[in-house]
Amino acid sequence: MERRLKIDLYYRQNVIGISGVEFLWGLGLPVVIESTFLQLFLKHLGASNFAVGLIPFFLFTGSSVFALLSSYMTSGMRFKRRAVIILHLVSGTSLMIFGCLLYIIGEASYILLLFFSCYSIFCVCIGMTLPVWLNYLVIIFSENKSVSGLAIMMIAQNIAKLIGSFLILKVVDQYEFASPSSAVIFISVGTLLTLGSLFFLFTRELPLAEESIVSSNRSFFEYLKQPVRHILKDKNFLYFLGADFEFFIVISIVSFYANYATTFRGVEPALAAGAFVGCIYCGAIVSNIALGTMGLLSLKNKYILSKLVAILALAIIILIDSDWSFYIASVLFGLSRGTRMLVYAPAIKKLSGQSDATGYFAVCPLFSLPLATLLPMTIGKFIDHYGWLGADAYHIVFVAAAVLLIFTLVCIIKTDFSAASPIAS
């Protein structure tokens, strides 16, 4: 109780700090994560659909494998802020480097190799950042104010993403994907990520209790044993992880549906690169306000809603042959994604039963790694191989994704958040 009262004193200060970070990051994220810009940029460079599928592959791999390293390295720290700042600072460097190289050499024959090299480094950095960042977000707020604090942060991020997506639309509409303009975009993104990281200096944290700190004498595998053992023995936790496959399914579809819209539905590339993403962020803002700041629905029902709207979005794309169907579907994808981003960190912390859940944030993506990495590449390979089917190749992919989303809906219905309890190491 005493700790909760102390941390609540810094509630407003911490909200302002993390919102400042996410606003500047939000301006740049539409270019590099969940991006329709990247898939169209790579197509402009002559990349195959399989190569486009490598974008979420690198992102998921970085988030799963390298998250373990940063989680272990920070496990003995009573204060986490310095690690959070350093990890955020290094993430933008690779994008700045690629932007500079693109500006200097243009569309050389090896530019795709350079892009994937720089993007893979970015994904490694993001992967190392995620578990430490997510844990930091839930330790600087008390449990009863966690969702509302994160909601304000995500509103700031999504407003910035909306602004960034329309800036992309304007640039692409005027310059298409010319090397100089694309280079400036990547350099600007790297700069925004770097500057945004400094806002963490405004946040305040309380030291973690000694009993919640993992001994620095523990080996890497001993450190991971408790969360892995807990998750494998807890059927409830496994149901939750099955439900969270939705995250990877939706991102995989978002990685391809812009190409479907421009190739088979006559949507202008500039609109697909900017307006689609803008609609996604509008949906996310609505979910952040309604489910976060207004506090509608329980944690479980928020998750159920996110899956229902994702299934509806796919149904609209499949069944309605109209340009506006993509805009409605984009809003629904945004509702789904915004909801999941809002409740994921509080859900993991609650199910873990731990004060410091960094290990759980690092381990959980490993259980999703096979689907997360294989799904986007499989989709890309399928579309390349069955391209002769035309639009029907995409329709098959969308139907399969809808079936997988129904599976995640069943899993979240079976998850009981009130039954969460830690397992002793």
Side-chain angles (χ1 to χ4, degrees):
M1 176 63 73
E2 182 181 354
R3 179 180 175 84
R4 181 182 69 80
L5 293 175
K6 285 183 178 179
I7 202 67
D8 281 348
L9 293 175
Y10 301 120
Y11 174 78
R12 182 176 299 179
Q13 181 177 342
N14 286 338
V15 166
I16 293 172
I18 63 174
S19 297
V21 175
E22 295 309 312
F23 185 82
L24 290 184
W25 272 62
L27 289 173
L29 288 180
V31 173
V32 290
I33 294 181
E34 300 173 37
S35 169
T36 54
F37 171 85
L38 273 190
Q39 57 186 280
L40 296 171
F41 170 71
L42 292 176
K43 278 297 195 182
H44 171 76
L45 295 180
S48 65
N49 285 300
F50 178 77
V52 173
L54 290 176
I55 294 299
F57 168 80
F58 281 127
L59 184 62
F60 297 153
T61 302
S63 300
S64 301
V65 177
F66 292 92
L68 298 173
L69 180 61
S70 62
S71 173
Y72 175 66
M73 291 171 61
T74 61
S75 61
M77 298 180 180
R78 295 192 70 195
F79 292 94
K80 307 286 187 178
R81 188 178 70 170
R82 179 182 297 178
V84 171
I85 293 173
I86 292 173
L87 288 168
H88 273 75
L89 282 173
V90 299
S91 297
T93 305
S94 58
L95 300 177
M96 295 174 67
I97 291 174
F98 175 71
C100 292
L101 291 174
L102 180 62
Y103 191 86
I104 294 170
I105 67 177
E107 297 178 17
S109 58
Y110 49 87
I111 193 64
L112 276 175
L113 177 60
L114 286 175
F115 168 78
F116 281 112
S117 298
C118 293
Y119 191 75
S120 62
I121 294 172
F122 168 76
C123 291
V124 167
C125 294
I126 287 293
M128 294 183 69
T129 301
L130 277 175
V132 185
W133 171 67
L134 287 170
N135 188 62
Y136 187 70
L137 292 179
V138 292
I139 64 175
I140 62 172
F141 296 115
S142 60
E143 183 174 335
N144 63 320
K145 290 195 173 184
S146 178
V147 171
S148 63
L150 296 183
I152 296 171
M153 178 196 78
M154 293 306 300
I155 289 170
Q157 184 194 89
N158 285 309
I159 289 174
K161 285 178 175 179
L162 186 59
I163 296 170
S165 65
F166 282 105
L167 290 176
I168 293 171
L169 187 154
K170 292 293 184 182
V171 172
V172 174
D173 188 43
Q174 183 169 353
Y175 300 104
E176 295 185 342
F177 292 95
S179 295
S181 60
S182 296
V184 170
I185 288 175
F186 282 106
I187 293 171
S188 299
V189 169
T191 303
L192 287 168
L193 302 192
T194 301
L195 293 176
S197 306
L198 301 178
F199 274 87
F200 279 117
L201 294 172
F202 292 98
T203 62
R204 294 289 299 273
E205 63 177 323
L206 297 181
L208 293 171
E210 289 288 352
E211 60 269 19
S212 68
I213 300 299
V214 176
S215 171
S216 58
N217 294 326
R218 277 192 178 185
S219 71
F220 179 69
F221 293 104
E222 288 175 333
Y223 165 68
L224 295 179
K225 184 173 68 174
Q226 177 179 334
V228 170
R229 177 170 168 260
H230 182 174
I231 292 169
L232 289 176
K233 287 190 173 183
D234 189 344
K235 185 182 295 186
N236 194 44
F237 214 133
L238 292 174
Y239 278 135
F240 170 77
L241 293 179
D244 199 54
F245 281 153
E246 169 210 354
F247 173 74
F248 308 102
I249 297 166
V250 171
I251 287 183
S252 296
I253 294 302
V254 169
S255 296
F256 289 95
Y257 83 123
N259 280 335
Y260 168 68
T262 57
T263 304
F264 297 104
R265 293 294 177 258
V267 177
E268 291 294 324
L271 290 175
F276 283 12
V277 181
C279 288
I280 288 174
Y281 298 142
C282 283
I285 291 170
V286 170
S287 72
N288 296 154
I289 294 173
L291 305 180
T293 55
M294 294 177 65
L296 300 179
L297 303 181
S298 66
L299 195 63
K300 180 173 181 174
N301 287 336
K302 286 178 173 70
Y303 262 110
I304 291 174
L305 177 65
S306 73
K307 298 170 195 319
L308 290 175
V309 296
I311 294 169
L312 178 59
L314 284 170
I316 289 173
I317 292 177
I318 295 167
L319 299 175
I320 301 177
D321 185 7
S322 173
D323 289 356
W324 61 263
S325 66
F326 292 101
Y327 298 107
I328 294 177
S330 296
V331 171
L332 294 174
F333 282 138
L335 282 166
S336 172
R337 294 289 300 108
T339 302
R340 189 270 185 185
M341 294 300 293
L342 184 65
V343 297
Y344 177 75
I348 291 292
K349 189 171 190 298
K350 187 172 183 62
L351 289 170
S352 74
Q354 302 292 320
S355 299
D356 183 355
T358 311
Y360 288 82
F361 286 118
V363 166
C364 284
L366 283 182
F367 290 86
S368 308
L369 185 61
L371 176 68
T373 54
L374 291 176
L375 184 61
M377 290 195 298
T378 301
I379 291 174
K381 195 68 175 177
F382 179 87
I383 294 172
D384 281 337
H385 187 73
Y386 293 97
W388 55 271
L389 290 173
D392 286 338
Y394 284 90
H395 293 159
I396 293 171
V397 167
F398 297 152
V399 170
V403 172
L404 290 174
L405 285 172
I406 292 172
F407 163 78
T408 69
L409 178 61
V410 173
C411 286
I412 199 62
I413 290 173
K414 289 179 173 290
T415 304
D416 182 6
F417 288 101
S418 66
S421 61
I423 291 180
S425 56

